[in-house]
């Protein structure tokens, strides 16, 4: 019998466990129970996790794979006792890329069509026509061209925005000018007024949205961060918004979540925030994907989404 342990911070573990068990009747699926050794089927074959308790890896020492309930594996890889020789599998799409495309495209269109201003006019009972805006004035740099980033870039290109995609290694996506490497980043930013960050968080991408890089954008820009809070240098963003070089920021992720009440982002008029909801992990699609991968592994077949620990994604 295949043993699966489920350990995720927040949410209702019971529902996840029941639904995974229903998809895998041949397996024993149990929620990780801290404390009492052995009452969660200790020594499971597979772990399904999101920011799990460190104790999980002390108790379950013969794991064959660890499935992360999200696309970003930075927090998991940073755990000191994450077993070295066990495959870590990130979630592949599972309904996230369309949500992300929706979120980013909405933020871009809200900005470029000045919908916030029209909303204010409505509140102030003003019937006011503004000058039409032109897409060519709003070129967009999309940083990160994995499955999710590529979908976002294509969605924006579908609305006829000029889009520059940037990734660490060379990529090619129909309809998108793809750039890569350090020089490519400079070129993408220098030609764009909007930057969207969908990068994995690694030592190379930590603080990539810093003053030096954001200053390269065309003036009056928009920063959208839907990746990780640590990509952004908070003080640099505030300084550039206050100087007017940037006009707006739409942030879904933060260095500390929930964002502390005293953080200046809360009250900044040019910052729009959401609480890490740009792409939710959808239970049914996620569990279907994970159960299928476990089945394949049990049959000795290859699976997609195994994290390259050296690259960090
Ligand atoms: C993810 C997330 O990594 O939700 O998928 O942040």
């Amino acid at each position: 019998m295949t043993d699966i342990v489920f350990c995720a911070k927040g949410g209702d573990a019971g529902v996840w466990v029941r639904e995974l068990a229903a998809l895998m009747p041949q397996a024993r699926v149990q929620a990780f129970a801290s404390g009492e050794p052995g009452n969660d089927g200790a020594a499971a074959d597979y772990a399904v996790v999101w920011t799990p308790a460190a104790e999980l890896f002390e108790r379950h020492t013969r794991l064959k794979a660890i499935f992360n309930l999200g696309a970003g594996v930075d927090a998991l890889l940073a755990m000191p006792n994450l077993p070295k020789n066990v495959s870590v599998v990130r979630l592949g799409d599972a309904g996230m890329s369309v949500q992300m495309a929706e979120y980013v495209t909405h933020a871009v269109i809200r900005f470029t069509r000045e919908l916030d201003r029209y909303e204010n006019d409505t509140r102030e009972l003003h019937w006011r026509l503004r000058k039409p805006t032109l897409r060519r004035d709003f070129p967009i740099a999309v940083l990160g061209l994995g499955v999710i980033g590529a979908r976002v870039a294509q969605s924006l290109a579908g609305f006829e925005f000029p889009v520059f995609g940037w990734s660490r290694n060379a990529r090619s996506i129909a309809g998108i000018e793809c750039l890569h490497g350090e020089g490519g980043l400079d070129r993408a930013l220098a030609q764009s007024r909007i930057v969207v960050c969908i990068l994995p968080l690694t030592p190379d991408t930590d603080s990539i949205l810093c003053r030096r890089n954001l200053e390269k954008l065309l003036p009056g820009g928009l920063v959208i961060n839907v990746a990780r809070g640590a990509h952004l240098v908070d003080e640099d963003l505030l300084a550039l918004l206050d100087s007017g070089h940037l006009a707006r920021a739409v942030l879904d992720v933060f260095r500390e979540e929930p964002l502390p009440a005293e953080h200046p982002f809360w009250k900044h008029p040019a910052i729009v925030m959401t609480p890490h909801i740009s792409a939710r992990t959808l239970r049914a699609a996620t569990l279907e994907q994970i159960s299928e991968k476990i089945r394949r592994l049990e049959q000795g077949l290859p699976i997609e989404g195994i994290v390259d620990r050296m690259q960090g994604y």
Side-chain angles (χ1 to χ4, degrees):
M1 162 152 322
T2 308
D3 259 299
I4 303 170
V5 63
F6 180 91
C7 184
K9 197 168 101 192
D12 181 352
V15 186
W16 285 81
V17 166
R18 274 197 301 285
E19 291 189 14
L20 183 55
L23 286 169
M24 307 203 71
Q26 75 289 10
R28 181 167 55 183
V29 188
Q30 296 192 55
F32 177 70
S34 180
E36 295 292 299
N39 61 359
D40 56 351
D45 302 293
Y46 300 99
V48 178
V49 307
W50 181 250
T51 52
E55 203 191 329
L56 176 79
F57 302 121
E58 277 144 34
R59 293 251 303 278
H60 293 272
T61 50
R62 63 167 176 87
L63 291 170
K64 297 185 207 162
I66 301 164
F67 289 87
N68 189 52
L69 286 170
V73 288
D74 43 292
L76 187 58
L77 295 191
M79 291 184 69
N81 69 345
L82 181 74
K84 294 219 168 8
N85 300 319
V86 179
S87 299
V88 170
V89 187
R90 65 171 176 272
L91 194 60
D93 200 332
M96 280 195 288
S97 63
V98 65
Q99 295 180 70
M100 203 64 109
E102 203 174 62
Y103 181 100
V104 171
T105 308
H106 170 266
V108 165
I109 291 174
R110 197 166 173 83
F111 179 68
T112 59
R113 297 294 305 270
E114 302 187 289
L115 294 176
D116 287 319
R117 292 193 171 136
Y118 282 110
E119 199 174 304
N120 282 341
D121 292 347
T122 311
R123 303 277 161 266
E124 290 166 9
L125 312 183
H126 271 139
W127 179 273
R128 173 171 26 202
L129 270 70
R130 296 173 185 280
K131 277 202 275 172
T133 51
L134 302 175
R135 287 176 180 73
R136 65 158 190 254
D137 290 335
F138 296 98
I140 306 170
V142 175
L143 311 186
L145 296 175
V147 180
I148 299 178
R151 176 79 183 246
V152 169
Q154 280 169 325
S155 166
L156 294 167
F159 280 96
E160 299 177 16
F161 288 99
V163 177
F164 301 95
W166 180 79
S167 51
R168 177 180 140 132
N169 301 314
R171 293 285 313 267
S172 143
I173 301 171
I176 312 292
E177 183 171 343
C178 292
L179 301 162
H180 68 280
E182 192 75 25
L185 179 62
D186 288 352
R187 279 178 55 211
L189 293 174
Q191 298 178 83
S192 299
R193 199 175 305 280
I194 299 176
V195 61
V196 182
C197 180
I198 318 179
L199 287 162
L201 182 65
T202 68
D204 288 339
T205 65
D206 194 311
S207 302
I208 195 166
L209 300 176
C210 60
R211 183 178 199 121
R212 196 171 51 83
N213 281 334
L214 294 177
E215 266 175 350
K216 292 175 188 149
L217 290 170
L218 300 170
L222 164 68
V223 174
I224 302 176
N225 190 13
V226 286
R228 286 291 182 261
H231 285 122
L232 176 68
V233 181
D234 296 3
E235 313 77 67
D236 291 1
L237 175 76
L238 290 166
L240 291 172
L241 284 169
D242 292 342
S243 75
H245 180 69
L246 293 173
R248 199 160 195 70
V250 175
L251 307 176
D252 185 51
V253 287
F254 305 90
R255 284 185 180 258
E256 190 180 339
E257 295 180 6
L259 187 68
E262 63 283 4
H263 197 288
F265 284 175
W266 283 110
K267 295 212 173 119
H268 201 289
I271 297 180
V272 174
M273 300 191 291
T274 46
H276 203 139
I277 49 82
S278 52
R280 312 299 297 272
T281 299
L282 303 175
R283 195 165 55 237
T286 299
L287 290 179
E288 252 163 54
Q289 184 180 115
I290 291 175
S291 56
E292 182 52 28
K293 286 185 178 173
I294 293 178
R295 255 181 237 113
R296 288 181 66 87
L297 288 175
E298 287 296 286
Q299 290 164 26
L301 297 169
I303 60 165
E304 283 186 1
I306 295 184
V307 170
D308 176 335
R309 295 219 198 173
M310 290 304 284
Q311 293 207 335
Y313 55 92

